[in-house]
């Protein structure tokens, strides 16, 4: 079983009040030096069977037609490397 | 003779009974439609009502849009069947691309429930014939994801073609572009708006005004006179 | 994973010396010994799990039971009561064949830990109680209390709680029609998140939580069972029986309002087709509670196969499954011939439903796991025979000093200018300020039957579209009053809620309550509790409004510091025709303002003493329940006969607060005249109970004053609806704009 | 300027109604073979200056105290490699 991740973010030209709310709060929390924050969604899909070209193509379709609304959102499909997770979490 | 107006119930629909009541008060015959049936029961028009279909999980309206009932609905709407989307129904219509643009979370990030003033910008759609062009009305607004967005070209086209049907007055309650509260498709048979006309059809109840009733009498007249 | 051996009943009998972690599960030694005595052997792990959770304070009311009995013993005669205390919620007859069920519950601690989810699941829980009675939920209310308004943690807790209540209730399609928001430093570490719900049904649809009829099936439906809220059971599972347990169990429960909405619809559809013999929601103590209560309230026993429970987490042990508090689950008892249809309805709504057992003709509750019998108990001993404590209680030694610190002696405004400044300060203080920023996050309109919602004195819902029959509900509580005198404080809460219902024109019928207190192990707290219950029970007897149910929340304290004793009272009323309801807002210029009731120098616990002097001392206002009853009769008659166009009850903040609210809501000012015998300060700020201000059309003045005179209710003309300011003749005037600015900006400035 | 990403997901033992709703919809859309879906949040932070150990530590604090609610959520902080983005998006 493998994990495929779909990241969905608002298109850059669309106002992201959630991201802005986070950014506005940063100085209050004592964080400087972050010039922009955007908030999006992350989907983790557990895929049965091999994640080959065909499987990825299908997930791409799924993201395009369902997980993202491409009128307002962009998306990225990635296969999650187990190592990467461990690395990042440390 | 009266008209038969369908109201679709999705899992998580909330205002289906209220919408059927409003249709009844207007003098038409409400017909309950079920999301799992690929069947519109030969109704003369359809209302997609408010609520949180599928909990509004993923995006408001995104999961409902793939319900079996949407297949005939999309097909017939394109062929001219009058369809009104209220709140969640509006969201479903944009997700189904029957109306352009999309709906996002309110810019203040809160659910908002208020008595909202609107201006009727287009009194010629299937659902607004009983209003006067430019008329100001107040009906309840209540939602989490009411911010209408679209790319600049789409918004320009909507404005140029008179397809903005309602505009927020006094306050823009959610950050919608151009204060847009409701829009229509090119043919004028499909209309979507965020505020809830079905909650403004009886004196005493809700805000106590009946500013929403003309939606339902408009469509009735149009269908009966057709 | 091998558990060797499974702790079955036989195994327990054969291994009497095995030590069980009863202390870690919260049982006292004598309680554990009592379990052993009941069973005649040591309990199995699963049995211990059930007893420990069902005998907890939360489920067994062991500290409060001896006092709560008064609600039954002193219950007034009432034709309206259809189902009383003891069921999931009480049921009241409101006429025309309709019955109404309502109840208030607390979700205090979870809401402090995780404000959004804690408050959300609080709404979910109370709504399931209402569905379990057979009713369609029609509205919710949310009495809330937080720490100081300007404390940083309030900014964490309040927005989350409000978003959670809205997020859940809005998604269920339940209009929120009332509640309270109170700030006081005493709630800093212990916010009070109480939630109430009302449901409506026809008399014949009332359902009870009981399992009868041998052979009938027990169906669990709704969400899958996960490891929610099972801290204790996990200890049991890991330490005693199985060390290969995953330690990860959720610390917080997440609500799924969408799932609950489906539960409402499929339950009501099953009721409508008469498929259900008995029903119980799963709340605290989950399946332990549902199975033992269903079985003990029915005629027979019950056999349950735990392996059939659909799980979200396959590693759960049987003890954990029994104790899991996963949300959005219900348990129904259904005749065998109707099971298929019941499952069909669940499938229609995409709700998972599973037969997990059946009613037997014995009198035991037997539960099986992997073929072994792990529970064999008399369900009554689990559900009803929990321990009962006679906790010591004593009037605290500081009570006299507190009462002697008389608020009536505080310095009063010395000039008209000072009086005006204090009015402005009061109206803009967090407790008196508009709560619109909060309540606009709640849907008031859904279901299309809302006649009145906040900021009206009570919420009102139309029940019948043809006749206009409606119900009203108000919740009130004042911890400051109750701290000064818990007996009187509880009666004041009752009196205020009763008055709020009557002010809108509805006749008060019945009471639910949520009693929020500190630790019962502190004799001073226990005294507060005992006094409050006594006061409420006596008050309900006198007013003829039975207590139909409620909730007790204890241990609301941080270290030694308990919250103010906070009995919150909900009163339910009925109105024959909602067209006759009386709103708060001034309707028409020129109408005459009458003050009903007596105004005395009563400032103990008042908003004025808090806002201006940060003071709490003296005695709370006196209660006269006969007067409350008379006032209510006048308000109801006046509404029915069209003698008044608006009305507002007087409570915290006194007359000036009420007049300002009516003026701002109606967008019309008032000119007030200080009546003979009163000074302006007392006239404006006193919190004497049993009062209301009404606006009388000139054409009705004679009829109205005659009625008050004939029935002996003091009615004093104090002014007229007029202009764009609130003016007190000879003292000061404040424009509506000025008042609105302070009244409406306070809360957003603190929280937005 | 560099981009740091914070992924916030509900802890595995916590109910994820959103992910479940997505997963239940998949068969209707004709997608088989996805055994689990979890939905979380993705924050993209544009950081001024170098993303060194110290900066990452500060963002870790930010995530822990503000972006994630650690009572119910886990989070991962990653520096986004420009290459990776391009790769995945293709
Ligand atoms: N948390 C809340 N949720 C819903 N309504 C609320 C809430 N807090 C206050 N309200 C409403 O605001 C109004 C004013 O509240 P309050 O001052 O406590 O009323 P009263 O003093 O008459 O009991 C009432 O209609 C009450 O129901
Ligand atoms: Mg009141």
């Amino acid at each position: 079983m493998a994990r495929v991740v779909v990241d969905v973010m608002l298109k850059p030209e669309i106002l992201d009040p959630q991201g802005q709310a986070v950014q506005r709060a940063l100085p209050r929390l004592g964080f400087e030096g972050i010039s922009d924050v955007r908030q999006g969604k992350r989907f983790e899909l557990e895929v049965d069977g091999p994640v080959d070209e065909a499987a990825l193509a299908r997930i791409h379709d799924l993201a395009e037609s369902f997980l993202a609304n491409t009128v307002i959102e962009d998306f990225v499909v990635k296969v999650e490397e187990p190592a990467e997770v461990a690395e990042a979490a440390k | 003779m009266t008209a038969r107006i369908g109201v679709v119930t999705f899992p998580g629909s909330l205002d289906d009974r209220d919408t059927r009541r409003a249709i009844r008060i207007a003098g038409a015959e409400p017909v309950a439609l079920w999301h799992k049936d690929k069947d519109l029961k030969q109704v003369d028009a359809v209302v997609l009502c408010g609520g949180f279909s599928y909990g509004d999980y993923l995006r408001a309206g995104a999961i409902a849009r793939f319900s079996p009932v949407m297949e005939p609905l999309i097909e017939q709407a394109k062929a001219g069947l009058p369809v009104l989307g209220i709140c969640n129904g509006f969201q479903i219509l944009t997700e189904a691309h029957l109306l352009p643009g999309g709906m996002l979370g309110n810019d203040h990030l809160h659910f908002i429930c208020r008595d909202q003033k609107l201006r009727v910008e287009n009194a010629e759609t299937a659902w607004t014939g009983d209003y006067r062009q430019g008329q100001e009305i107040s009906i309840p607004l209540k939602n989490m994801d009411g911010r209408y967005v679209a790319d600049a070209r789409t918004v320009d086209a909507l404005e140029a073609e008179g397809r903005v049907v309602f505009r927020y007055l006094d306050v823009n309650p959610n950050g919608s572009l151009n204060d847009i509260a409701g829009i229509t498709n090119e043919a004028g048979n499909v209309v979507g708006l965020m505020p809830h006309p079905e909650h403004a059809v009886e004196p005493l109840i809700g805000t106590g005004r009946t500013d929403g009733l003309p939606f339902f009498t408009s469509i009735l007249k149009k269908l009966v006179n057709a | 994973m091998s558990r060797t051996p499974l702790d079955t009943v036989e195994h327990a009998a054969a291994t009497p010396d095995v030590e069980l972690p009863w202390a870690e599960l919260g049982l006292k030694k004598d309680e554990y010994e009592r379990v052993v005595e009941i069973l005649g052997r040591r309990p199995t792990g699963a049995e211990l799990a059930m007893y420990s959770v069902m005998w907890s304070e939360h489920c067994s009311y062991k500290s409060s039971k001896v006092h709560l009995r008064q609600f039954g013993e002193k219950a007034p005669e009432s034709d309206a009561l259809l189902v009383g205390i003891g069921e999931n919620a009480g049921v009241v007859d409101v006429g025309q064949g309709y019955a109404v069920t309502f109840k208030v519950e607390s979700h205090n601690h979870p809401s402090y830990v995780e404000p959004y989810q804690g408050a959300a699941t609080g709404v979910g829980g109370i709504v399931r109680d209402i569905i379990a009675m057979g009713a369609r939920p029609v509205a919710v209310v949310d009495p809330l209390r937080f720490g100081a308004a300007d404390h940083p943690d309030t900014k964490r807790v309040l927005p989350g709680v409000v978003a959670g209540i809205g997020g859940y209730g809005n998604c269920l399609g339940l209009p929120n029609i009332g509640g309270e928001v109170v700030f006081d430093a005493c709630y800093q570490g212990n916010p009070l998140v109480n939630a109430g719900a009302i449901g409506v049904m026809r008399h014949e649809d009332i359902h009870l939580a009981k399992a009868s009829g041998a052979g009938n099936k027990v169906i669990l439906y709704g969400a899958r069972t996960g490891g929610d809220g099972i801290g204790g059971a996990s200890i049991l599972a890991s330490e005693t029986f199985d060390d290969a347990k995953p330690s990860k169990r959720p610390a917080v429960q997440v609500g799924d309002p969408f799932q609950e909405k489906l539960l409402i619809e499929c339950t009501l559809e099953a009721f409508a087709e008469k498929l259900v013999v008995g029903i119980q929601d799963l709340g605290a103590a989950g399946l332990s509670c549902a199975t033992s209560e269903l079985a003990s309230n029915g005629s027979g026993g019950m056999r349950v196969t735990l392996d059939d429970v659909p799980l979200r987490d396959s590693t759960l042990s049987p003890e954990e499954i029994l104790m899991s508090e996963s949300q959005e689950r219900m348990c129904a008892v259904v005749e065998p011939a109707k099971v298929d249809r019941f499952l069909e309805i669940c499938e229609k709504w995409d709700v998972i439903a599973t037969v997990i057992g059946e009613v037997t003709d014995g009198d035991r509750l037997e539960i099986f796991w992997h073929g072994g019998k792990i529970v064999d108990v008399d369900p009554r001993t689990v559900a009803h025979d929990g321990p009962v404590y006679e906790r010591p209680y004593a009037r605290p030694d500081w009570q006299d000093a507190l009462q002697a610190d008389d608020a009536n002696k505080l310095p009063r405004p010395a000039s008209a200018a000072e009086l005006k400044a204090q009015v402005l300060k009061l109206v803009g203080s967090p407790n008196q300020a508009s709560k619109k920023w909060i309540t606009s996050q709640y849907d008031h309109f859904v279901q299309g039957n809302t006649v009145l919602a906040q900021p009206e004195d009570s919420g009102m819902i139309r029940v019948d579209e043809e006749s206009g029959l409606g119900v009203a509900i108000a919740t009130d509580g004042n911890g400051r009053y109750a701290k000064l005198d818990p007996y009187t404080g509880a009666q004041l809460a009752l009196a205020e809620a009763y008055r709020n219902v009557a002010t809108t024109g509805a006749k008060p019928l019945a009471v639910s309550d949520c009693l929020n207190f500190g630790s019962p192990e502190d004799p001073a707290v226990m005294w507060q509790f005992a006094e409050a219950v006594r006061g409420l029970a006596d008050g309900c007897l006198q007013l003829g409004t039975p207590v139909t149910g409620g909730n007790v929340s204890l241990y609301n304290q941080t270290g030694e510091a308990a919250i103010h004793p906070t009995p919150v009272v909900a009163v339910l009323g009925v109105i024959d025709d909602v067209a006759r309801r009386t709103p708060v807002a001034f309707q028409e210029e020129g109408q005459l303002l009458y003050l009903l009731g007596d105004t005395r120098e009563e400032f103990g616990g008042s908003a004025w003493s808090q806002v201006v002097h940060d003071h709490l001392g003296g005695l709370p206002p006196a209660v006269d329940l006969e007067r409350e009853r008379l006032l209510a009769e006048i308000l109801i008659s006046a509404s029915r006969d069209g003698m008044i166009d608006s009305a507002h009850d007087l409570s915290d903040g006194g007359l000036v607060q009420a007049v300002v609210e009516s003026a701002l809501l109606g967008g019309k000012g008032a000119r007030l005249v200080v009546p003979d015998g009163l000074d302006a300060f007392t006239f404006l700020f006193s919190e004497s109970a049993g009062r209301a201000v009404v606006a009388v059309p000139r054409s009705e003045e004679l009829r109205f004053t005659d009625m008050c005179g004939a029935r002996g209710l003091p009615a004093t003309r104090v002014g007229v609806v007029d202009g764009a300011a609130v003016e007190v003749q000879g003292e000061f005037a404040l424009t509506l704009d000025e008042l609105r600015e302070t009244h409406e900006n306070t809360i957003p400035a603190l929280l937005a």
Side-chain angles (χ1 to χ4, degrees), chain A, chain B, chain C:
Chain A
M1 219 172 60
R3 173 179 295 175
V4 177
V5 172
V6 180
D7 288 328
V8 176
M9 301 298 293
L10 283 175
K11 286 181 190 284
E13 66 272 21
I14 293 189
L15 176 73
D16 171 17
Q18 288 188 311
Q20 288 198 344
V22 171
Q23 201 194 333
R24 269 199 309 273
L26 294 181
R28 245 195 298 127
L29 299 170
F31 285 92
E32 305 288 330
I34 292 179
S35 60
D36 192 26
V37 180
R38 311 248 331 146
Q39 178 175 339
K41 296 176 195 156
R42 172 185 168 88
F43 298 90
E44 295 183 352
L45 314 179
E46 305 300 331
V47 181
D48 307 332
V51 182
D52 48 18
E53 284 284 305
L56 275 179
R58 278 163 22 91
I59 291 176
H60 192 278
D61 286 352
L62 176 67
E64 184 157 33
S65 61
F66 184 56
L67 298 180
N69 176 352
T70 53
V71 174
I72 45 182
E73 294 168 324
D74 293 327
F75 67 92
V76 170
V77 177
K78 297 192 256 199
V79 183
E80 181 122 305
E81 309 294 334
E84 182 190 331
V85 185
E87 167 65 13
K90 76 152 192 250
Chain B
M1 175 210 138
T2 187
R4 299 173 69 246
I5 303 179
V7 178
V8 180
T9 299
F10 297 98
S13 289
L14 303 180
D15 302 317
D16 43 348
R17 290 186 307 155
D18 313 27
T19 305
R20 294 201 298 268
R21 182 196 291 129
I23 291 169
R24 205 177 341 106
I25 290 172
E29 181 192 339
V31 178
L33 302 176
W34 180 241
H35 71 111
K36 284 183 185 171
D37 297 338
K38 260 190 215 173
D39 178 6
L40 298 184
K41 299 189 182 164
Q42 283 158 346
V43 292
D44 306 307
V46 174
V47 183
L48 298 181
C49 64
F52 287 78
S53 60
Y54 291 94
D56 270 4
Y57 298 145
L58 186 55
R59 289 181 308 282
I63 302 181
R65 175 254 174 278
F66 288 99
S67 303
V69 75
M70 289 300 289
E71 277 182 43
L73 187 129
I74 290 171
E75 193 184 300
Q76 293 183 39
K78 286 180 176 160
L81 179 76
V83 177
L84 174 66
I86 302 169
C87 195
N88 199 229
F90 185 16
Q91 293 155 344
I92 294 170
L93 291 175
T94 60
E95 284 284 340
H97 305 303
L98 286 171
L99 292 173
M103 310 300 305
L104 285 170
N106 299 336
D107 59 357
H108 47 78
L109 306 177
H110 296 291
F111 187 95
I112 178 86
C113 175
R114 67 192 310 271
D115 192 8
Q116 177 69 45
K117 206 170 197 196
L118 305 173
R119 185 168 55 232
V120 181
E121 302 278 27
N122 178 342
E124 276 159 25
T125 74
W127 299 91
T128 53
D130 269 0
Y131 289 107
R132 275 175 292 105
Q133 188 80 24
Q135 188 177 340
E136 293 184 4
I137 61 174
S138 272
I139 56 180
L141 174 84
K142 48 185 193 104
N143 60 67
M144 190 76 207
D145 298 309
R147 177 164 55 114
Y148 181 75
V149 294
D151 58 42
R153 271 227 323 274
T154 305
V155 174
D156 290 346
L158 287 173
E159 293 288 1
E161 293 163 22
R163 288 165 55 198
V164 173
V165 183
F166 297 98
R167 221 181 288 277
Y168 297 118
L169 286 186
D170 295 349
V171 238
N172 180 333
N174 45 33
S176 289
L177 288 176
N178 290 20
D179 301 335
I180 290 174
I183 57 174
T184 183
N185 64 347
E186 280 170 49
N189 63 312
V190 179
V191 171
L193 81 166
M194 284 316 292
H196 288 258
E198 83 284 12
H199 289 320
V201 295
E202 291 180 274
L204 272 185
I205 300 300
T207 60
R209 266 187 307 274
T210 56
D211 289 8
L213 195 56
F215 272 85
F216 305 98
T217 54
S218 298
I219 187 69
L220 178 60
K221 267 190 207 153
K222 183 176 167 78
L223 293 170
V224 171
N225 296 338
Chain C
M1 191 169 58
S2 65
R3 308 187 57 181
T4 46
L6 180 63
D7 195 27
T8 59
V9 169
E10 299 89 78
H11 181 252
T15 56
D17 299 330
V18 169
E19 270 295 315
L20 293 179
W22 45 267
E24 286 87 336
L25 286 167
L27 285 177
K28 298 275 185 306
K29 186 157 204 306
D30 56 328
E31 292 171 347
Y32 179 70
E33 281 163 1
R34 173 97 182 93
V35 171
V36 174
E37 186 191 317
I38 287 171
L39 295 174
R41 58 171 162 78
R42 78 156 172 92
T44 65
E47 288 166 341
L48 183 65
M50 291 184 81
Y51 279 104
S52 69
V53 66
M54 288 299 289
W55 286 13
S56 67
E57 183 68 59
H58 185 76
C59 293
S60 73
Y61 290 84
K62 55 190 168 191
S63 300
S64 53
K65 223 177 207 167
V66 291
H67 300 283
L68 297 179
R69 283 190 189 127
Q70 293 171 65
F71 292 142
E73 290 157 7
K74 296 181 188 167
E77 284 290 316
S78 166
D79 302 336
L81 194 62
L82 298 175
V83 176
I85 291 185
E87 282 292 332
N88 284 310
V91 182
V92 180
D93 178 13
V94 296
Q96 301 179 15
Y98 287 102
V100 166
T101 179
F102 74 119
K103 190 178 176 189
V104 187
E105 265 189 4
S106 68
H107 229 215
N108 302 339
H109 185 64
S111 304
Y112 181 65
V113 176
E114 205 327 269
Y116 185 99
Q117 295 298 344
T121 51
V123 174
I126 188 69
V127 168
R128 283 194 299 282
D129 274 332
I130 297 301
I131 320 172
M133 296 308 299
R136 175 175 283 281
V138 296
V140 293
V141 296
D142 61 331
L144 308 176
R145 281 162 181 80
F146 302 98
D150 55 0
H151 192 288
D153 201 46
T154 301
K155 207 166 168 157
R156 169 186 74 95
V157 176
L158 186 149
V161 164
V162 169
I165 288 169
Y168 207 100
N170 296 340
C171 191
L172 288 188
L174 298 179
N176 183 311
I177 59 169
E180 300 167 83
V181 181
V182 175
F183 300 96
D184 193 300
C186 77
Y187 304 113
Q188 199 62 67
N190 297 276
L192 303 184
V193 175
N194 295 175
I198 319 180
V200 173
M201 67 195 122
R202 303 292 300 173
H203 283 193
E204 59 272 21
D205 291 333
I206 297 174
H207 280 72
L208 300 180
K210 62 178 186 193
S212 37
N216 287 345
K217 300 297 181 192
V218 179
I219 300 179
L220 178 66
Y221 64 111
R224 291 173 181 276
T225 298
D228 304 278
I230 53 171
S234 297
I235 295 171
L236 185 68
S238 55
E239 291 193 1
T240 318
F241 300 101
D242 187 353
D243 41 20
K245 276 272 139 208
S247 61
K248 297 235 174 216
R249 297 293 181 232
V252 166
Q253 300 168 42
V254 169
D256 181 356
F258 171 58
Q259 176 71 241
E260 180 127 324
K261 168 68 178 165
L262 301 183
L263 269 190
I264 295 177
E265 296 304 331
C266 85
T267 303
L268 291 176
E269 204 166 315
F271 284 153
E273 294 190 22
K274 311 244 176 288
L275 301 180
V276 178
V277 176
I279 187 149
Q280 173 73 298
D281 61 298
L282 275 72
L287 270 174
S288 294
C289 178
T291 53
S292 63
E293 288 199 345
L294 277 169
S296 59
N297 299 344
S299 52
M302 186 184 286
R303 185 183 304 120
V304 171
T305 306
L306 224 45
D307 308 74
D308 293 336
V309 172
L311 300 181
R312 194 172 88 224
D313 173 352
S314 60
T315 68
L316 292 180
S317 70
E319 297 85 358
E320 291 174 320
I321 297 170
L322 279 170
M323 278 174 106
S324 163
E325 296 188 350
S326 289
Q327 300 288 305
E328 290 97 21
R329 299 180 298 161
M330 305 273 293
C331 210
V333 176
V334 178
E335 287 171 23
K338 295 178 174 172
V339 166
D340 284 347
R341 180 60 194 143
F342 186 93
L343 297 178
E344 227 171 77
I345 290 173
C346 289
E347 190 176 333
K348 169 182 168 190
W349 288 99
D350 300 322
V351 168
I352 298 171
T354 317
V355 175
I356 60 163
E358 65 179 31
V359 178
T360 60
D361 50 16
D363 56 3
R364 309 292 288 179
L365 170 60
E366 300 166 292
I367 300 182
F368 294 83
W369 175 254
H370 291 3
K373 191 198 283 188
I374 57 168
V375 171
D376 184 353
V377 297
D378 174 347
R380 269 152 290 263
T381 64
V382 179
H384 300 309
D385 299 344
V388 176
Y389 292 165
E390 300 262 3
R391 296 220 188 252
Y393 57 91
R395 189 171 192 269
D397 42 21
W398 43 259
Q399 197 76 33
D400 286 339
L402 184 68
Q403 295 186 344
D405 181 13
D406 188 357
N408 288 0
K409 302 210 173 95
L410 292 168
R412 301 183 181 186
S415 64
E418 211 180 320
L419 186 65
K420 173 178 172 175
Q422 292 189 357
V423 167
L424 212 50
K425 187 165 183 196
L426 179 89
V427 169
S429 66
N431 281 338
Q432 318 306 319
S434 164
K435 304 302 183 317
K436 205 183 208 167
W437 185 84
I438 290 164
T439 59
S440 68
Q441 297 184 46
Y442 304 146
D443 188 342
H444 312 151
F445 300 113
V446 64
Q447 295 198 7
N449 283 312
T450 306
V451 180
L452 298 175
Q454 50 272 43
E456 299 288 349
D457 277 337
S458 67
M460 189 180 285
I461 293 285
R462 178 177 63 181
V463 168
D464 188 284
E465 279 179 50
E466 300 299 316
S467 68
L469 178 72
V471 294
I473 190 168
T475 70
D476 283 292
N478 187 320
R480 285 166 55 82
Y481 291 168
K483 173 99 181 209
L484 298 180
D485 179 347
Y487 181 91
T488 306
Q491 293 201 335
L492 283 166
L494 169 67
E496 188 180 344
Y498 182 92
R499 197 185 319 130
N500 274 323
V501 164
T503 306
T504 58
K507 178 177 161 20
L509 279 187
V511 165
S512 178
D513 62 70
C514 190
L515 305 173
N516 306 276
F517 289 77
S519 166
E521 293 162 35
D522 176 347
V525 169
M526 213 47 219
W527 174 79
Q528 293 172 330
F529 182 79
E531 284 294 282
V533 171
R534 193 168 66 83
L536 187 56
D538 288 349
C540 287
L541 179 57
Q542 205 177 341
L543 287 175
T545 49
V547 175
T548 64
N551 180 245
V552 176
S553 172
L554 300 176
Y555 297 100
N556 293 290
Q557 81 178 54
T558 311
E560 292 291 292
I563 59 165
H564 290 341
T566 312
V568 170
V569 178
V571 169
L572 179 90
V574 62
I575 183 166
D576 294 337
D577 182 0
V578 294
R580 301 253 50 106
R581 91 279 177 272
T582 310
V584 160
F586 289 151
Q587 303 292 310
E588 237 173 84
E589 301 230 351
Q591 295 195 341
L592 302 166
L593 295 175
Y594 272 86
L595 168 61
L596 310 181
D598 289 304
T599 303
R600 291 174 294 265
E601 292 205 28
E602 295 189 300
F603 297 100
S606 67
W608 173 80
S609 70
Q610 182 178 33
V611 171
V612 175
H613 295 286
D614 191 19
H615 176 272
L616 177 58
L619 289 174
V623 193
D624 177 349
L625 295 173
E626 279 317 312
R627 169 56 63 79
E628 296 288 353
R629 197 207 277 270
L630 175 61
L631 174 68
E633 281 170 15
I634 296 274
L635 288 166
I636 295 164
S637 301
S639 114
R640 195 187 46 228
D641 297 342
M643 288 184 247
I644 56 178
D645 273 6
S646 72
H648 200 353
D649 90 298
L650 304 196
S651 55
D652 36 343
L655 176 126
V656 72
Q657 175 72 21
V659 168
V660 166
E661 286 173 1
S662 293
L664 290 178
L665 272 175
K668 293 172 181 62
R671 253 185 308 124
L672 301 173
V673 182
V674 181
D676 290 345
L678 281 181
D679 62 286
F681 169 76
T682 306
F683 172 58
L684 295 176
F685 289 118
S686 162
E687 295 189 4
S688 294
R691 299 184 303 156
V693 176
V694 298
V696 184
R698 286 180 190 265
S699 59
E700 301 297 325
E701 184 178 17
L702 210 57
R703 199 154 68 109
F704 180 73
T705 49
D706 278 356
M707 172 174 72
C708 293
R711 301 219 205 160
L713 181 72
T716 316
R717 191 161 144 177
V718 294
V720 60
V721 177
D722 185 40
V726 171
E727 181 188 345
V728 183
Q729 244 170 42
E731 299 287 342
F732 64 84
L734 282 161
T735 66
L736 292 189
D737 288 343
E738 216 174 339
L739 288 165
R740 193 182 304 282
E741 164 97 15
T742 9
H743 190 57
E744 293 186 359
N745 286 353
T746 303
I747 301 292
L750 284 163
L751 296 168

